[in-house]
Amino acid sequence: AALAMREAGNMHFDPDGAGIEPLYAADGLISDLSSMLAKSMALKKSTLFLKNPKHENAGPAGPIMNTHMHTGADLEAVLNFTAMLLRGEDPLLPVPADVHELFCGPVDGKAGVRVVEHLERYFFPG
C-alpha cells in the first residue's frame, strides 16, 4: 500500500517530520500523536489521528482528538479517510472556535512576540 501511495503523485511523505509546507498544500493530514495534529487543526485541515492500539490514552487532549478528529488504527481507516478527502467532504469541519482555541492556542503568527513579552515581564518587572 505504501508503494502505491508513493506512486500516486498526490501524496507527500515527510520522514523528517518538519513539513509545515506540505501541510499548507494538503487537503488533510494523517499522523500519530504529535504536534502535526495541532498544526493541522490550526490550519483547518481534515485530520486523521492514527492511534496506537496499545496506547489508547492521548492524555488530556484525547477527548478533543476523539471528538473533533477522525481516528483509526489500521489501513481501513486510512482508506476511508482518503476516500472522504477525495469526495471533498468532512463532517467534522469546521471545528468549533472554542475547541480550536483550546487545542491550538492562538494561531495569529505572533507566538514569538508573546514569548519575548513574557520574558521581558519576568526579567524586567515594573
Side-chain angles (χ1 to χ4, degrees):
L3 179 61
M5 292 171 76
R6 288 182 193 279
E7 293 175 350
N10 61 353
M11 298 210 176
H12 175 79
F13 287 80
D14 182 29
D16 298 329
I20 192 68
E21 294 85 5
L23 185 54
Y24 276 119
D27 292 322
L29 171 78
I30 300 169
S31 183
D32 59 1
L33 180 58
S34 71
S35 63
M36 292 303 290
L37 295 169
K39 290 175 185 172
S40 182
M41 184 182 278
L43 293 172
K44 300 177 174 148
K45 302 288 183 164
S46 297
T47 305
L48 172 61
F49 166 39
L50 284 180
K51 291 182 173 188
N52 181 337
K54 296 178 184 175
H55 303 284
E56 286 295 320
N57 187 359
I64 289 176
M65 294 162 61
N66 289 328
T67 304
H68 299 285
M69 292 180 184
H70 302 275
T71 59
D74 56 20
L75 181 58
E76 183 179 359
V78 172
L79 294 173
N80 290 336
F81 181 75
T82 54
M84 179 200 70
L85 290 178
L86 289 171
R87 290 190 306 271
E89 57 189 45
D90 186 342
L92 298 182
L93 292 181
V95 173
D98 59 334
V99 173
H100 188 274
E101 176 71 20
L102 178 64
F103 192 75
C104 303
V107 290
D108 57 6
K110 297 180 182 178
V113 171
R114 281 189 291 279
V115 169
V116 168
E117 289 173 351
H118 176 74
L119 290 173
E120 286 178 339
R121 282 192 306 272
Y122 180 81
F123 287 109
F124 305 104

